Amino acid sequence: MRRLLLSGNEAVALAALESGVRLGTGYPGTPSTEILEAFSGLGGRAQWSPNEKVALEVAIGAAFGGARALCTMKHVGLNVAADPLFTVAYTGVSGGLVIVSADDPGMASSQNEQDNRRYAEAAGVPALEPSDSQEAYEFTALALEISERWEIPVLLRLTTRVCHSKTVLLLPECTTRAVPLPRFTRDIHSRVMIPANARPAHRRLRAKLQAAREWNEASGPNRWTEGERALGIIASGVAYMHAREAAPAASFLKIGMTYPLPLDTIRKFATGVERCVVIEEGDPFLADAIRAAGIQVEAKPEMYRFGELNVGRMRRILTNDVSPEPAPPRGTPPQLCPGCPHRAVFSALRNLGCIVSGDIGCYSLGVLPPFEAMDTLVCMGAAIGVGLGLRHVLPPGQRRKVVSVIGDSTFVHSGITGLVEMIYNPPEDGYVLIILDNGTTAMTGMQEHPGTGRTLQHTATGKMIFEDVVRALGVPRVHVIDPTINPQEFENLIAACLDSLDLSVVIARRNCLLAASAIRQYEKCLEPVHEHN
Amino acid sequence: MSTTRTINIVIAGLGGQGVLKASDITADAAFRAGFNVKKSELHGMSQRGGSVTSDIRFGESVLSPMIPEGEADFLVAISPEQVEPNHHLLRPEGTLIHAGLIDAGALKNKKSVNVALLGKLSRSLQLPDEAWMEAIRANLPEKLHEVNLNAFVLGRTA
Ligand SMILES: Cc1ncc(C[n+]2csc(CCOP(=O)(O)OP(=O)(O)O)c2C)c(N)n1
Ligand code: SF4
């Protein structure tokens, strides 16, 4: 036996490697980022894509070719990848395809706390929910098997605590299993989703889900622990651990595969106990489905839909305590690092009294004092479209102050189509877009992206040159400037762009302070020096 | 100290102070000593100077990876301003270990105060020395071994 101490993310990576995954794709996003980095570190083939949609499409191609593939993202990433998801459920796959969605209940570092089990149901793909690193390993391997058995993509739903907690794993010695060599076999009826093929494909999908449900009922990764009859708890994910600690004597039905649900087992469990409570983090996904099947269970009170669960909240749920919870003491909020190049940009925008359509990244901290220079933030890439919309409707005095601010990684992710919109439907008084090119994806821990010209492994590759792309699209005014050298000059440039009533793109280029020394090393093709303790 | 009961340790500080490193080392030391261990924290904006806390729990069996409020046996505060917002995590008879207990002047590298505090903590935990030393070596690059092993010993004798 091997005994290991790993985070859930590391466990997924190890399982992927030992299960013969040939390609890992994804886009960074807390709390999922470390999966691909660890997979690469272990020797797996891993690559960052420009965004989650492309990442999933590349993984689908690999799975069509008969290879096992893993695609990782944070929960909101699946919104971006939803289009291929819904149809790859119809086409099915040859090689196992596992899509990791790392949900963030409590929004430790996200803009919403959506529950992506909803996607499993909406798209019609099985969902597995591990509760610790041991299960993160086991369920990754199982997800690949399920995927190949029913030729269906599988969603592995992790949550922040499962991704980032380290727990002990006991694993049999690794026997790297032989997986068939990739090979393309023509199957037009399954793979080409014109309506004539998609109609039978939808029926096939429902039949596969029915078979998967029966399997889940008979031998799915669900655990029934006999305890007191007075209280039965149905739980999934890390919430199961909190519940076991809060109510050690209760009977438990732990659901590992939460879509399609083993409703017969659940019914048997629920009728065998006096009180049956469903405990889950996020939406009442299980509770709603169980009640819809006519099974009498208690759901958690609505107030526990918000935020993470923990042992304390579990005790409150079990005693039906809906009194207001004391607010946790406020810690120190994060802020832009001293010397961060984004600082000069937000100082200028503040001085100019701009209406700033912002986006997501370290630079979102520009919303906090002393800058308070961000007025909107919706989702990645939205800076441009939202800013253009504001410009289209506001009176001249206001609209001439609207600018968009977007990070380099975010621009590649989903800003390019916004830029095309800017050229195609230009506002009457022009527009100003500022791309904050700090040479890295800083927010999620310094990942590479197509604009850095380096791969996930920090080796040189094709590079997307922002100014070339912007010029090629026909933007009349394109400026590249280091905003930190002369902040006043930067401010004057933005003011001049605003006054020009023309379309301008300003690329504010200066490496992230924390990434700068590593970037210099990569540029010299050397290993980075870790100076952090 | 009885080891059948789960031991709960919270490490608190600001981003960049080495909270996560300290908790990795502690969890690894308990793991090497043969215990069941869980450790948990929220990453994310941790590099940008905001509050960071990490929970380490070890014993025979550990369920939730998060320490329930008021059940921490130890609060290790790397920065003094993190004591107040985290004090409610400590049980009434719990122990506060704070940076004031370390003679910062005697540290070769100020950044290793996190490891010095682990030295202090180690006196109250019955984990073998060897487990701590191996954990420090395994979690830090080689060029930082000596300075951190020294910091650990300094904290242990403080
Ligand atoms: C759809 C989606 N994917 C991923 C994320 C996570 N995420 C937020 S911002 C960001 C990129 C930040 O990089 P960049 O735009 O270069 O700004 P920086 O942090 O470097 O300032 C990522 C990956 C997200 N919020 N939404
Ligand atoms: S990590 Fe880089 S981009 Fe983020 S705040 Fe610090 S210097 Fe700025």
Side-chain angles (χ1 to χ4, degrees):
Chain A
M1 284 302 256
R2 292 177 286 169
R3 185 170 169 269
L4 304 165
L5 179 63
L6 298 179
S7 70
N9 282 347
E10 292 166 331
V12 171
L14 184 65
L17 188 88
E18 295 182 353
S19 310
V21 165
R22 280 186 198 271
L23 183 63
T25 66
Y27 180 75
T30 312
S32 70
T33 314
E34 299 83 3
I35 300 173
L36 279 194
E37 293 176 330
F39 183 62
S40 172
L42 291 166
R45 174 164 178 192
Q47 50 198 46
W48 294 130
S49 293
N51 67 30
E52 294 85 353
K53 178 178 186 292
V54 177
L56 180 53
E57 289 155 352
V58 174
I60 290 170
F64 280 176
R68 288 189 156 189
L70 179 78
C71 182
T72 72
M73 60 196 70
K74 71 182 288 164
H75 59 341
V76 286
L78 201 50
N79 301 332
V80 179
D83 205 5
L85 172 72
F86 277 70
T87 303
V88 73
Y90 281 23
T91 62
V93 289
S94 313
L97 173 61
V98 174
I99 301 159
V100 179
S101 163
D103 292 9
D104 189 14
M107 296 174 275
S109 52
S110 302
Q111 68 267 35
N112 76 25
E113 55 183 336
Q114 68 186 55
D115 185 335
N116 276 6
R117 296 176 299 178
R118 302 273 192 209
Y119 269 118
E121 186 185 13
V125 298
L128 295 170
E129 272 189 82
S131 63
D132 63 8
S133 302
Q134 176 80 32
E135 286 187 350
Y137 182 98
E138 290 169 359
F139 287 13
T140 303
L142 179 63
L144 285 161
E145 278 167 32
I146 293 172
S147 176
E148 281 175 3
R149 175 157 176 193
W150 285 289
E151 302 192 344
I152 193 170
V154 175
L155 189 76
L156 185 70
R157 188 235 189 182
L158 309 177
T159 56
T160 306
R161 293 290 168 178
V162 174
C163 291
H164 284 168
S165 297
K166 284 193 178 176
T167 72
V168 178
L169 291 89
L170 287 177
L171 299 177
E173 289 308 324
C174 168
T175 46
T176 319
R177 28 161 303 152
V179 278
L181 281 180
R183 191 188 143 71
F184 186 72
T185 313
R186 197 165 206 210
D187 181 3
I188 291 174
H189 295 295
S190 302
R191 299 288 188 256
V192 184
M193 286 300 102
I194 54 172
N197 290 342
R199 287 184 201 110
H202 187 197
R203 292 178 192 281
R204 273 200 305 278
L205 168 63
R206 295 297 148 188
K208 289 175 185 180
L209 289 169
Q210 179 57 26
R213 196 193 79 78
E214 281 160 21
W215 170 84
N216 195 17
E217 202 79 76
S219 43
N222 311 306
R223 203 155 63 225
W224 184 320
T225 313
E226 211 62 73
E228 284 172 2
R229 268 183 46 87
L231 176 63
I233 297 177
I234 298 172
S236 70
V238 72
Y240 166 76
M241 296 293 176
H242 305 320
R244 281 279 309 275
E245 185 160 339
S251 295
F252 277 89
L253 180 61
K254 177 185 180 301
I255 313 281
M257 180 155 144
T258 45
Y259 186 79
L261 278 175
L263 286 169
D264 297 341
T265 311
I266 290 171
R267 187 183 316 265
K268 222 185 288 162
F269 178 82
T271 48
V273 293
E274 284 156 32
R275 176 183 176 214
C276 189
V277 186
V278 178
I279 300 281
E280 57 194 317
E281 217 157 39
D283 291 347
F285 175 81
L286 300 177
D288 286 355
I290 294 169
R291 287 164 151 186
I295 304 168
Q296 299 255 321
V297 290
E298 277 176 46
K300 61 183 181 180
E302 178 66 9
M303 65 185 283
Y304 301 102
R305 179 200 287 256
F306 308 100
E308 272 194 302
L309 297 181
N310 55 38
V311 176
R313 297 188 92 195
M314 207 58 80
R315 291 182 184 132
R316 291 173 59 104
I317 293 172
L318 292 175
T319 54
N320 255 317
D321 184 350
V322 291
S323 63
E325 296 171 281
R330 276 182 61 86
T332 313
Q335 39 173 291
L336 290 172
C337 300
C340 171
H342 297 330
R343 286 180 167 261
V345 175
F346 288 106
S347 297
L349 297 179
R350 186 188 162 92
N351 294 344
L352 294 169
C354 287
I355 297 173
V356 181
S357 179
D359 220 300
I360 314 185
C362 274
Y363 55 96
S364 303
L365 294 171
V367 72
L368 302 179
F371 311 104
E372 299 179 89
M374 192 172 289
D375 296 284
T376 68
L377 185 166
V378 181
C379 65
M380 282 186 77
I384 305 176
V386 170
L388 290 168
L390 283 167
R391 279 250 180 179
H392 291 321
V393 300
L394 292 178
Q398 282 196 313
R399 73 173 175 242
R400 291 181 186 170
K401 293 275 180 202
V402 182
V403 301
S404 290
V405 171
I406 194 166
D408 49 349
S409 188
T410 305
F411 178 67
V412 178
H413 177 277
S414 45
I416 300 169
T417 43
L419 177 62
V420 174
E421 165 75 7
M422 169 175 130
I423 291 150
Y424 185 58
N425 291 310
E428 207 176 317
D429 299 333
Y431 198 59
V432 181
L433 163 64
I434 305 171
I435 301 175
L436 303 171
D437 184 4
N438 63 354
T440 188
T441 315
M443 166 95 166
T444 44
M446 323 297 171
Q447 287 73 33
E448 305 288 359
H449 60 72
T452 71
R454 287 182 301 274
T455 64
L456 184 146
Q457 293 77 16
H458 309 295
T459 55
T461 183
K463 176 171 179 161
M464 171 181 161
I465 313 241
F466 295 148
E467 49 274 38
D468 290 358
V469 171
V470 175
R471 284 200 190 98
L473 284 172
V475 176
R477 291 168 179 263
V478 182
H479 303 275
V480 181
I481 182 173
D482 178 342
T484 64
I485 292 181
N486 182 342
Q488 188 59 52
E489 189 187 297
F490 178 77
E491 189 176 319
N492 295 346
L493 173 67
I494 301 294
C497 289
L498 285 167
D499 289 344
S500 74
L501 305 186
D502 208 345
L503 296 180
S504 315
V505 171
V506 177
I507 299 170
R509 179 166 292 149
R510 172 70 179 231
N511 283 345
C512 156
L513 193 76
L514 289 195
S517 84
I519 292 173
R520 274 194 300 276
Q521 298 295 326
Y522 303 143
E523 283 171 349
K524 285 194 255 164
C525 300
L526 293 174
E527 281 293 295
V529 214
H530 294 285
E531 276 160 10
H532 274 271
N533 198 359
Chain B
M1 180 179 293
S2 145
T3 42
T4 47
R5 185 173 78 77
T6 298
I7 306 295
N8 293 321
I9 304 160
V10 177
I11 303 183
L14 295 174
Q17 288 185 327
V19 172
L20 305 188
K21 225 5 128 188
S23 73
D24 277 336
I25 293 171
T26 309
D28 195 21
F31 171 73
R32 285 165 194 272
F35 287 106
N36 197 344
V37 188
K38 291 191 177 176
K39 89 140 205 165
S40 171
E41 68 257 333
L42 298 174
H43 299 199
M45 298 301 271
S46 57
Q47 264 167 323
R48 319 291 176 278
S51 307
V52 190
T53 64
S54 181
D55 292 359
I56 304 120
R57 318 187 74 189
F58 68 90
E60 247 160 51
S61 111
V62 184
L63 291 166
S64 170
M66 294 144 82
I67 300 172
E69 217 176 288
E71 294 187 21
D73 302 291
F74 301 94
L75 170 61
V76 179
I78 305 180
S79 80
E81 63 269 38
Q82 294 309 306
V83 175
E84 207 267 317
N86 291 300
H87 215 278
H88 67 290
L89 300 173
L90 209 49
R91 52 172 95 247
E93 69 284 10
T95 308
L96 171 67
I97 296 178
H98 60 90
L101 302 170
I102 305 292
D103 175 9
L107 282 175
K108 276 222 189 73
N109 180 342
K110 297 265 171 303
K111 283 197 147 179
S112 49
V113 64
N114 58 345
V115 175
L117 286 168
L118 297 186
K120 184 84 191 155
L121 170 72
S122 73
R123 295 210 351 217
S124 311
L125 305 178
Q126 285 160 16
L127 300 177
D129 275 10
E130 212 27 55
W132 282 107
M133 300 297 154
E134 281 171 15
I136 290 172
R137 286 195 205 99
N139 285 279
L140 290 168
E142 197 173 339
K143 64 170 189 158
L144 295 175
H145 285 179
E146 199 188 310
V147 67
N148 281 286
L149 290 170
N150 289 339
F152 184 82
V153 172
L154 182 94
R156 199 169 167 91
T157 47

